[in-house]
Amino acid sequence: MAKNSTLKDIANQLGVSKTLVSFVLNGKSKEKRISKEMANKVLDLAAKLNYKPNYLAKGLRTGKSMTLALIIADISNPFFAKFARHLEIEASKYDYKLIFANSDEQKDKFASELNFLKNGQVDGFILTPPIGSESELKALKKEKIPFVVLDRYFEKVKTNTVLIDNFQAGFDATQRMIDNGRSRIAIINTNKELHTMSQRVSGYKSALAFSGSESKPELIRHLPFNQDKSSIMEVINSIIDCKADGLIFTTSKLAILGIECLRELDIKIPEQISVLSFDEMDAYRLCYTPISAVVQPIEEMSKEALRILIQMIDQTTSTDKLENVMIDVDFIFRESCP
Amino acid sequence: MAKNSTLKDIANQLGVSKTLVSFVLNGKSKEKRISKEMANKVLDLAAKLNYKPNYLAKGLRTGKSMTLALIIADISNPFFAKFARHLEIEASKYDYKLIFANSDEQKDKFASELNFLKNGQVDGFILTPPIGSESELKALKKEKIPFVVLDRYFEKVKTNTVLIDNFQAGFDATQRMIDNGRSRIAIINTNKELHTMSQRVSGYKSALAFSGSESKPELIRHLPFNQDKSSIMEVINSIIDCKADGLIFTTSKLAILGIECLRELDIKIPEQISVLSFDEMDAYRLCYTPISAVVQPIEEMSKEALRILIQMIDQTTSTDKLENVMIDVDFIFRESCP
DNA sequence: TTGAAAGCGCTAACAG
DNA sequence: CTGTTAGCGCTTTCAA
């Protein structure tokens, strides 16, 4: 690794002090009333030497590493990959770098990744913690480490959180099917221990109740975290036996696999069963099937999350004003079938 | 941000020196012949104080940040997301953290991201550089910064590189269609300036030549970087007019969109046109269409890339033995239709 | 077996 | 307007 030029190099070659160079290079020429010619000399030499500040040194001194960490379930899940994408764009706007790690939705892995990164190398965290991470979040709060929770909600610990109103989304989705004349609407869910997920089902139930019909247990199905196609096939067969005419998938992965199943069974969408999916339009685009969807505005959520996080970091020393903000970003309803 | 406990804290509380504590905590008790009881006292207190080494300080001192950077086209592209996933898993095995950035396949963005990260904060790079990044790579070499190029090949600059043999893959894919009795095989390509991409087409041509038939220009089509469905539709219509009976997509994005087009045109796969895609089985799985595919073993490629990179980093001071290794990872041929 | 001290590159009082 | 100095937390000679 070639040695980079340092502040000292510039200072020495110019016969001035490191302080002066530091001021100029940090844009404090005005503030510190440094002569224009001096400033220019410094700037020129810095450019010529291809000077790059050493962020380790800077960070060590200032206590800010200009690095954020993102701990998500799995970066290869397109939903999270899109978050990563937009978070990186936003972070770079603030001159922050982004480290990421995968928790695989496992509490222990999440905790160890988090712990590994809690060492002054990271100024703040963006997290989608797995079920049961309350104690980790509480620890972070106690340690006053800035973090924001994305697309997750923990009833027992107040945090800054960015998500859509999943209850409302579930309600609207169901209402829409009711409005379109569907009366036996099924819902297939997964990760029901996740608050956001259970809220979607609550919204569904509420919409049904609101319209006078009551929800039928045999049409409400929960699958474990790692669904394979055969388990979905089983559930779908069972809801078909129950004469479902509408079907809501609470995740796009469920939808993609589920639509494959419907195809294999020669069920027509939306004629025989009207289908709606949460999260993505991927299910629609990739399966080339006319369904509607509740879409999370990933870009906007990322922006909000980063805005809050940066604010928290900047406030760390001052008043702790920004506590426990819950940002409900509006979800988007995409229609593609009646 | 709560203040973490430091080496000094431990040293003071135990009435010993920082040196001693450092030795113990870095597992050098044996080597430095430190008494067992002393070592245990240090270890115990460190655990009690929840001591975490400050990586900024450590890095500043040792010149190693234990951080790698990944600069890819776009993390939200599933192909790259999978790389990110496996690279992170591998990196953490070596106790490395991973920063990522997106180049959007733009030379300038790539250069500026790279430049931003070249500051001692990063020990090495994993790169999929866009077309025209030769000078950046040369600069890295000159600066002796460890890096490995993934899934890209630059004829004009020798680097450590990990990729599949795209020529061979193109050859095999085509050969396979020929073996299955297809005689008018079309190929739709994109990013033809990318060496890996043009190699796929070269392999295709070579297989045709090898079998005695010559390649027909009207069946070889190149699309620009950002393809939309309408441009693909146009190309597909044209190759159908040319009576193609086989079709090779050189990327999975092309395949996914292309298969949608074929569906809309009511072309039967594989009866009317036999389809093969590069890169992923996503096209198959998601479109639920019987096609075959050349699959890149992302996990293995990631492992190789990281193995090489770590080796380079460790060797930085010693002999520069590891120069310009080209790892050809075996690709996988997945069959699903005759 | 252990400790003192220097220094990685940078910033920020404080002093002139 | 510019310089001196101390020190962030850690590793590493060198000395005891």
Side-chain angles (χ1 to χ4, degrees):
Chain A
M1 186 100 78
K3 246 191 93 204
N4 282 323
S5 49
T6 71
L7 270 192
K8 201 170 148 192
D9 295 336
I10 299 180
N12 285 346
Q13 290 191 37
L14 252 38
V16 297
S17 77
K18 292 189 296 174
T19 313
L20 175 64
V21 179
S22 171
F23 284 152
V24 173
L25 260 23
N26 286 311
K28 294 187 184 161
S29 302
K30 284 261 157 53
E31 183 186 331
K32 300 290 178 182
R33 315 186 334 135
I34 286 162
S35 70
K36 218 163 194 139
E37 51 179 340
M38 191 72 248
N40 282 335
K41 269 184 4 193
V42 171
L43 257 14
D44 287 350
L45 186 58
K48 207 173 98 197
L49 295 182
N50 190 23
Y51 170 78
K52 306 219 189 55
N54 181 319
Y55 276 79
L56 294 176
K58 206 167 188 163
L60 179 59
R61 180 62 233 245
T62 59
K64 277 185 68 178
S65 62
M66 301 306 281
T67 304
L68 305 175
L70 172 67
I71 306 182
I72 53 190
D74 177 4
I75 189 90
S76 69
N77 176 328
F79 179 61
F80 292 115
K82 279 174 200 155
F83 269 121
R85 168 79 163 129
H86 289 289
L87 288 168
E88 195 270 334
I89 293 173
E90 284 306 304
S92 78
K93 284 186 193 162
Y94 295 99
D95 276 324
Y96 271 88
K97 294 168 283 302
L98 200 54
I99 288 179
F100 76 93
N102 303 296
S103 75
D104 291 326
E105 216 65 274
Q106 288 168 28
K107 179 182 155 9
D108 291 345
K109 184 130 190 275
F110 175 77
S112 78
E113 297 279 13
L114 188 58
N115 218 39
F116 178 53
L117 293 167
K118 271 202 235 166
N119 52 25
Q121 167 107 287
V122 160
D123 294 341
F125 289 92
I126 303 134
L127 305 170
T128 57
I131 296 155
S133 300
E134 281 82 359
S135 59
E136 302 303 327
L137 299 183
K138 277 184 190 149
L140 281 173
K141 285 184 72 170
K142 210 163 92 190
E143 298 168 82
K144 297 223 183 297
I145 297 175
F147 71 99
V148 31
V149 172
L150 191 59
D151 188 45
R152 293 287 151 100
Y153 178 76
F154 292 85
E155 280 179 295
K156 293 193 200 107
V157 37
K158 296 261 174 275
T159 62
N160 288 320
T161 305
V162 175
L163 30 61
I164 63 165
D165 184 338
N166 285 284
F167 178 90
Q168 192 64 45
F171 188 99
D172 288 1
T174 311
Q175 185 61 51
R176 197 187 127 70
M177 284 205 168
I178 295 169
D179 291 346
N180 282 315
R182 309 290 170 165
S183 60
R184 297 188 60 82
I185 302 164
I187 187 163
I188 300 182
N189 184 35
T190 180
N191 287 336
K192 74 165 177 233
E193 293 81 8
L194 236 34
H195 188 264
T196 47
M197 290 294 145
S198 67
Q199 283 297 96
R200 294 173 184 184
V201 177
S202 299
Y204 156 91
K205 286 180 183 164
S206 177
L208 287 182
F210 202 73
S211 79
S213 47
E214 58 187 298
S215 50
K216 297 163 194 74
E218 67 273 22
L219 293 180
I220 303 177
R221 307 301 296 266
H222 297 281
L223 287 169
F225 174 54
N226 267 319
Q227 323 95 38
D228 57 359
K229 202 164 140 189
S230 66
S231 61
I232 295 179
M233 182 61 101
E234 200 177 322
V235 167
I236 286 190
N237 269 319
S238 120
I239 62 134
I240 288 171
D241 287 346
C242 296
K243 306 214 188 321
D245 57 5
L247 177 50
I248 297 174
F249 294 105
T250 58
T251 72
S252 73
K253 187 180 168 196
L254 285 172
I256 289 172
L257 294 171
I259 289 170
E260 281 185 29
C261 295
L262 290 172
R263 277 231 185 87
E264 284 180 27
L265 297 168
D266 274 326
I267 305 284
K268 289 223 169 48
I269 303 168
E271 290 76 14
Q272 289 173 265
I273 292 188
S274 166
V275 174
L276 184 146
S277 167
F278 269 70
D279 285 338
E280 310 265 352
M281 283 304 275
D282 283 357
Y284 163 68
R285 221 187 53 70
L286 295 174
C287 296
Y288 197 54
T289 304
I291 66 173
S292 37
V294 171
V295 178
Q296 307 210 38
I298 292 179
E299 182 172 353
E300 201 189 328
M301 290 174 77
S302 302
K303 278 186 182 165
E304 281 297 336
L306 228 61
R307 197 180 56 71
I308 293 175
L309 187 56
I310 300 288
Q311 207 176 326
M312 290 177 81
I313 292 171
D314 291 346
Q315 284 186 355
T316 297
T317 40
S318 71
T319 41
D320 274 353
K321 196 76 203 304
L322 195 70
E323 277 293 312
N324 313 331
V325 174
M326 264 273 283
I327 304 272
D328 265 344
V329 180
D330 286 341
F331 57 86
I332 300 162
F333 205 99
R334 289 261 170 74
E335 316 198 357
S336 71
C337 81
Chain B
M1 184 102 77
K3 245 190 94 207
N4 283 324
S5 48
T6 71
L7 271 191
K8 201 170 148 190
D9 295 337
I10 299 180
N12 286 345
Q13 290 191 37
L14 251 36
V16 296
S17 76
K18 291 190 294 175
T19 314
L20 175 63
V21 179
S22 171
F23 285 153
V24 173
L25 259 26
N26 286 312
K28 296 188 182 162
S29 302
K30 284 261 157 56
E31 183 187 333
K32 299 290 177 184
R33 314 186 337 136
I34 287 161
S35 69
K36 215 159 196 140
E37 53 180 342
M38 191 71 249
N40 282 335
K41 269 185 3 193
V42 171
L43 257 13
D44 287 350
L45 186 57
K48 208 174 96 196
L49 295 183
N50 190 24
Y51 169 77
K52 304 218 192 57
N54 181 317
Y55 276 77
L56 294 177
K58 208 166 186 162
L60 179 59
R61 182 61 232 245
T62 59
K64 277 186 67 178
S65 62
M66 301 306 282
T67 303
L68 305 176
L70 172 66
I71 308 182
I72 52 189
D74 177 4
I75 190 95
S76 69
N77 175 327
F79 179 62
F80 292 115
K82 278 174 200 155
F83 270 120
R85 168 76 162 131
H86 289 290
L87 288 167
E88 195 271 334
I89 292 173
E90 285 306 304
S92 80
K93 284 186 193 162
Y94 296 98
D95 276 326
Y96 271 88
K97 294 169 282 302
L98 201 55
I99 288 179
F100 75 94
N102 303 297
S103 74
D104 292 324
E105 218 61 275
Q106 288 167 27
K107 178 182 156 8
D108 291 347
K109 184 130 191 277
F110 176 78
S112 79
E113 297 281 12
L114 187 58
N115 218 39
F116 179 54
L117 292 167
K118 272 202 238 166
N119 52 24
Q121 167 107 284
V122 160
D123 293 341
F125 289 92
I126 303 133
L127 306 170
T128 57
I131 296 157
S133 299
E134 280 83 359
S135 60
E136 302 303 328
L137 299 183
K138 279 184 190 150
L140 281 173
K141 284 185 72 172
K142 209 163 93 191
E143 297 167 83
K144 297 223 182 298
I145 299 176
F147 71 99
V148 30
V149 172
L150 191 59
D151 188 46
R152 292 287 150 101
Y153 178 75
F154 292 84
E155 280 180 293
K156 292 192 200 111
V157 37
K158 296 263 173 276
T159 62
N160 289 319
T161 305
V162 175
L163 30 62
I164 63 164
D165 185 338
N166 286 283
F167 178 91
Q168 191 64 43
F171 188 99
D172 288 2
T174 311
Q175 184 62 51
R176 200 188 126 69
M177 284 206 169
I178 296 169
D179 291 346
N180 282 314
R182 307 291 168 167
S183 59
R184 299 189 58 82
I185 302 163
I187 188 164
I188 300 183
N189 185 35
T190 180
N191 288 335
K192 73 165 176 233
E193 293 80 10
L194 236 34
H195 187 264
T196 47
M197 290 295 146
S198 67
Q199 283 297 96
R200 293 173 185 183
V201 177
S202 299
Y204 156 90
K205 285 179 185 167
S206 176
L208 287 182
F210 202 72
S211 79
S213 46
E214 58 187 297
S215 50
K216 299 167 192 69
E218 67 272 22
L219 292 180
I220 302 176
R221 308 300 297 264
H222 297 281
L223 287 168
F225 175 56
N226 266 320
Q227 323 94 37
D228 56 358
K229 200 164 143 189
S230 66
S231 61
I232 294 179
M233 182 60 101
E234 200 177 320
V235 167
I236 286 189
N237 270 319
S238 119
I239 62 134
I240 289 171
D241 287 345
C242 297
K243 307 213 186 323
D245 58 5
L247 176 51
I248 297 174
F249 295 104
T250 58
T251 72
S252 75
K253 188 180 168 198
L254 285 172
I256 290 171
L257 294 171
I259 290 170
E260 280 185 30
C261 295
L262 291 171
R263 276 231 185 85
E264 283 180 27
L265 296 169
D266 273 327
I267 305 282
K268 288 221 170 49
I269 304 169
E271 291 76 12
Q272 289 173 263
I273 292 188
S274 167
V275 174
L276 184 146
S277 167
F278 269 70
D279 284 339
E280 309 265 351
M281 283 304 276
D282 283 357
Y284 163 68
R285 221 187 54 68
L286 296 173
C287 295
Y288 198 54
T289 303
I291 66 172
S292 36
V294 170
V295 179
Q296 306 210 37
I298 291 179
E299 183 173 353
E300 200 190 326
M301 290 173 78
S302 302
K303 277 185 184 167
E304 282 296 336
L306 228 64
R307 196 180 55 73
I308 294 175
L309 188 55
I310 300 288
Q311 207 175 326
M312 290 177 81
I313 292 171
D314 291 346
Q315 284 186 355
T316 298
T317 39
S318 70
T319 42
D320 275 351
K321 197 75 202 308
L322 196 71
E323 276 293 311
N324 312 329
V325 175
M326 260 274 283
I327 305 273
D328 266 343
V329 180
D330 285 342
F331 57 87
I332 299 161
F333 205 100
R334 289 263 169 74
E335 315 197 0
S336 71
C337 81

